[in-house]
Amino acid sequence: MRYPMNGFTLIELMVTLVVTAIVLSIAIPSFQSQMLNNRSIALGEDFASAINFARIEAVKRAGRVSLCASKDGETCSGSWNEGFIAFVDTVAADTTETPVVGTVLRAWKKQDSSAVISVKNGSDDKTFIRYTGLGTLARLTDKPFVISAQFKKCTGSAARQINIGLSGSVSVSRIACATE
C-alpha cells in the first residue's frame, strides 16, 4: 500500500522563491520611495505646525514669540535642519534684526541629514520668524515668508511650500520635489 506524499517538491519550492524574489525586487524600491515621500510630507506639515504654535503663543502671551534655527535647543544658531526652537522674544522692538531668546517654549530636534528646509523672505535666507502679540509678522520687511520643506530624492509633489503672509496667516501647498 502506497501512502500519498504531502509537501513540496524541490522544483516547486525553487519556483516559489524565484517568484517571491521578483515581486520583492519590484516592490521594495517603490516602498522606499513611498516612505521617503511620506517623510517629506510630514516634515512640511510639522514645520507648519511649529509656525502655528509660535503664532498662537504670541497671541496668547500678547507679546513677541519667535521661531529660529537652533542646533543646541537653547540659542538661535545653525541651520533649520539642525533643529529649531520657539521662544519668547525679548527684543525691544518688532523691527530689531536679531532675536533675543527669552523663555524657550518648545524645541524641535535635528532633522535627518537628507531633510532640506529653506526659509526665505523675498530672496534673503532667514534664520528666524518673529510674531507680534497680535499674531502678525513683525515688520522686518514688507515681504511674506516662503518656506520649502522636503527630503532629498523625494518624488512627485511630496514637497511642501509654506507661505506666511504679512498678516501672519499660514498656508501649506504641495510642490514638486526638487531634483538634485
Side-chain angles (χ1 to χ4, degrees):
M1 175 173 222
R2 192 165 186 188
Y3 294 102
M5 302 280 256
N6 292 330
F8 298 103
T9 65
L10 184 59
I11 292 173
E12 290 172 331
L13 182 61
M14 294 304 290
V15 168
T16 302
L17 289 175
V18 168
V19 169
T20 303
I22 291 170
V23 169
L24 287 176
S25 68
I26 293 170
I28 288 176
S30 176
F31 183 68
Q32 288 173 337
S33 176
Q34 184 62 40
M35 283 182 51
L36 190 60
N37 287 345
N38 287 344
R39 289 179 69 199
S40 192
I41 292 166
L43 176 67
E45 298 297 333
D46 286 347
F47 199 80
S49 294
I51 294 166
N52 280 321
F53 174 79
R55 183 180 188 199
I56 290 167
E57 285 295 320
V59 171
K60 183 171 88 173
R61 295 169 184 273
R64 293 176 202 89
V65 173
S66 293
L67 185 72
C68 75
S70 175
K71 63 182 172 185
D72 61 8
E74 297 175 7
T75 61
C76 290
S77 59
S79 70
W80 292 101
N81 296 344
E82 294 176 309
F84 40 95
I85 57 174
F87 60 93
V88 175
D89 197 340
T90 59
V91 294
D94 290 343
T95 55
T96 304
E97 289 291 328
T98 307
V100 178
V101 179
T103 304
V104 175
L105 304 173
R106 188 163 175 204
W108 287 263
K109 295 181 180 181
K110 180 178 180 177
Q111 301 298 317
D112 185 284
S113 61
S114 63
V116 179
I117 300 172
S118 168
V119 178
K120 296 205 178 274
N121 185 245
S123 61
D124 300 330
D125 287 325
K126 292 295 183 180
T127 57
F128 77 97
I129 301 166
R130 179 181 295 140
Y131 277 102
T132 68
L134 297 174
T136 61
L137 281 178
R139 300 286 191 213
L140 296 171
T141 67
D142 289 334
K143 298 174 184 150
F145 279 84
V146 178
I147 301 149
S148 65
Q150 72 176 45
F151 272 82
K152 294 175 186 173
K153 298 184 181 176
C154 69
T155 58
S157 60
R160 293 294 182 256
Q161 179 172 304
I162 304 161
N163 296 307
I164 308 173
L166 296 176
S167 67
S169 63
V170 178
S171 66
V172 181
S173 57
R174 296 176 182 200
I175 58 171
C177 294
T179 58
E180 291 189 62

